Amino acid sequence: TWDDFEVTFENQSGRDLERFFRQWVQRSGAPLISLENVQLRKNDGSWAVGGEIRQNKPAYDLQVPLVVRTEQKDFEVMLDVKRLENDFSIEAAYAPHELVVDPNADLFRRLYPSEIPPCVNSLKGSQSLVAVMSGETKAEFADTFSDLLKAMGHSRVPTLRRTQGESVYAQDTDVLFLGLPDAKELQGILPENWELNPAGFTVDGKPFNNAGDVLFAVFRHPKFERRVVAVFYALSPRAAMQALYKIPHYGKYGYLVFSNGRNEVKGIWPVTASPLIHVFK
């Protein structure tokens, strides 16, 4: 039992581990921390970054990594967080441009929606999904789209034909575009150096325009923080069939490019905005 582990580790280490086991084994849930009251002060020849790490009740006993990023180097400390409100102060030899709490999500804690990058698994786990087929999509793609939905675990989700004038983003649902979306639907979603058009697509500045090329990408929803928008765009029905059964196996990735069934590009979206990131102006 867990009690056996606790007694054994206590005997070997000579430490009282009751609080550790009670916190991580017996208690349900996980800590939720926040960054508050960040201040920046310039000293003689250095900078001081201060603030608070807060957590919800009941308080956990945590070791929280904090990183002050500068143009020259990063300054990292491990903060003991035991109370609901915990002050900190970090000295930096250079002007800070960013303060990040737990930058690599090493701490077992509840994540904010903005900290979870959109990925293939976001779509696989969707409880409310709308699949939309572009009005320009050729009929021979219909069976392929149906097979993709089955592969993603959404065989009961109907495929809707896109009608002019209606907004697919109005409802609080995840959206999967099957085929090339309208230009308006891609505004504000595509990153820099990305483009989708009838001749092909560009990912990070690299063009793909051969008949064997396929793009599957998952983006943040433009209106609802916890929702995603995905695009499955294949330049031929054969290419779509070669790729569709492989996509579910790349669950943690946010975007994928296949050429003749072979994965050529895969990537994870960086987390650029979070309540645990403070950018100094």
Side-chain angles (χ1 to χ4, degrees), residues 23-84:
Q23 169 176 290
W24 296 119
V25 176
Q26 299 174 14
R27 185 188 300 180
S28 61
L32 177 66
I33 61 176
S34 61
L35 177 62
E36 308 287 347
N37 301 324
V38 177
Q39 299 175 357
L40 179 63
R41 185 178 69 256
K42 188 175 183 180
N43 299 326
D44 293 335
S46 66
W47 298 77
V49 177
E52 287 182 317
I53 297 295
R54 296 181 182 177
Q55 56 175 321
N56 289 3
K57 294 181 179 181
Y60 282 77
D61 188 347
L62 307 171
Q63 289 276 311
V64 180
L66 283 75
V67 179
V68 174
R69 290 176 174 157
T70 75
E71 294 296 334
Q72 288 78 11
K73 62 177 293 187
D74 294 347
F75 297 86
E76 182 173 355
V77 300
M78 293 295 291
L79 180 67
D80 287 327
V81 173
K82 298 181 179 181
R83 301 177 299 277
L84 296 181

Side-chain angles (χ1 to χ4, degrees), residues 199-269:
F201 53 89
T202 300
V203 173
D204 288 335
K206 183 178 180 180
F208 295 88
N209 48 30
N210 294 320
D213 294 337
V214 176
L215 170 68
F216 189 90
V218 188
F219 309 99
R220 292 197 185 279
H221 197 289
K223 292 184 62 177
F224 300 101
E225 185 180 40
R226 298 179 182 272
R227 297 297 184 182
V228 298
V229 175
V231 176
F232 178 66
Y233 180 33
L235 301 189
S236 69
R238 183 173 181 272
M241 285 299 300
Q242 289 176 320
L244 69 89
Y245 291 111
K246 298 180 179 180
I247 292 171
H249 298 286
Y250 290 82
K252 70 178 183 180
Y253 292 98
Y255 55 93
L256 304 162
V257 175
F258 295 89
S259 293
N260 299 312
R262 179 176 178 176
N263 179 243
E264 296 292 339
V265 177
K266 59 180 181 288
I268 298 174
W269 299 115

Side-chain angles (χ1 to χ4, degrees), residues 50-278:
E52 287 182 317
I53 297 295
R54 296 181 182 177
Q55 56 175 321
N56 289 3
K57 294 181 179 181
Y60 282 77
D61 188 347
L62 307 171
Q63 289 276 311
V64 180
L66 283 75
V67 179
V68 174
R69 290 176 174 157
T70 75
E71 294 296 334
Q72 288 78 11
K73 62 177 293 187
D74 294 347
F75 297 86
E76 182 173 355
V77 300
M78 293 295 291
L79 180 67
D80 287 327
V81 173
K82 298 181 179 181
R83 301 177 299 277
L84 296 181
E85 299 180 1
N86 306 266
D87 297 331
F88 67 86
S89 180
I90 307 172
E91 293 290 328
Y94 308 101
H97 65 79
E98 192 175 60
L99 169 65
V100 186
V101 180
D102 191 24
N104 299 315
D106 292 322
L107 187 66
F108 180 77
R109 61 181 175 86
R110 290 172 56 192
L111 296 175
Y112 292 92
S114 59
E115 293 184 279
I116 305 173
C119 61
V120 173
N121 282 340
S122 302
L123 202 71
K124 289 173 62 179
S126 174
Q127 300 297 312
S128 180
L129 176 65
V130 173
V132 181
M133 186 188 305
S134 169
E136 305 298 324
T137 303
K138 297 179 181 178
E140 53 261 39
F141 279 94
D143 290 340
T144 304
F145 292 156
S146 177
D147 289 340
L148 174 66
L149 288 169
K150 291 178 182 178
M152 298 293 286
H154 294 293
S155 57
R156 296 184 178 181
V157 172
T159 300
L160 308 178
R161 275 281 182 180
R162 175 75 165 87
T163 58
Q164 202 67 27
E166 67 175 335
S167 173
V168 295
Y169 298 144
Q171 296 183 351
D172 185 6
T173 63
D174 299 306
V175 180
L176 170 60
F177 287 110
L178 302 168
L180 179 64
D182 292 346
K184 290 183 178 180
E185 293 164 337
L186 295 174
Q187 288 180 355
I189 293 180
L190 290 184
E192 188 176 355
N193 296 324
W194 280 57
E195 183 182 357
L196 276 67
N197 57 58
F201 53 89
T202 300
V203 173
D204 288 335
K206 183 178 180 180
F208 295 88
N209 48 30
N210 294 320
D213 294 337
V214 176
L215 170 68
F216 189 90
V218 188
F219 309 99
R220 292 197 185 279
H221 197 289
K223 292 184 62 177
F224 300 101
E225 185 180 40
R226 298 179 182 272
R227 297 297 184 182
V228 298
V229 175
V231 176
F232 178 66
Y233 180 33
L235 301 189
S236 69
R238 183 173 181 272
M241 285 299 300
Q242 289 176 320
L244 69 89
Y245 291 111
K246 298 180 179 180
I247 292 171
H249 298 286
Y250 290 82
K252 70 178 183 180
Y253 292 98
Y255 55 93
L256 304 162
V257 175
F258 295 89
S259 293
N260 299 312
R262 179 176 178 176
N263 179 243
E264 296 292 339
V265 177
K266 59 180 181 288
I268 298 174
W269 299 115
V271 176
T272 57
S274 160
L276 299 182
I277 297 177
H278 181 90

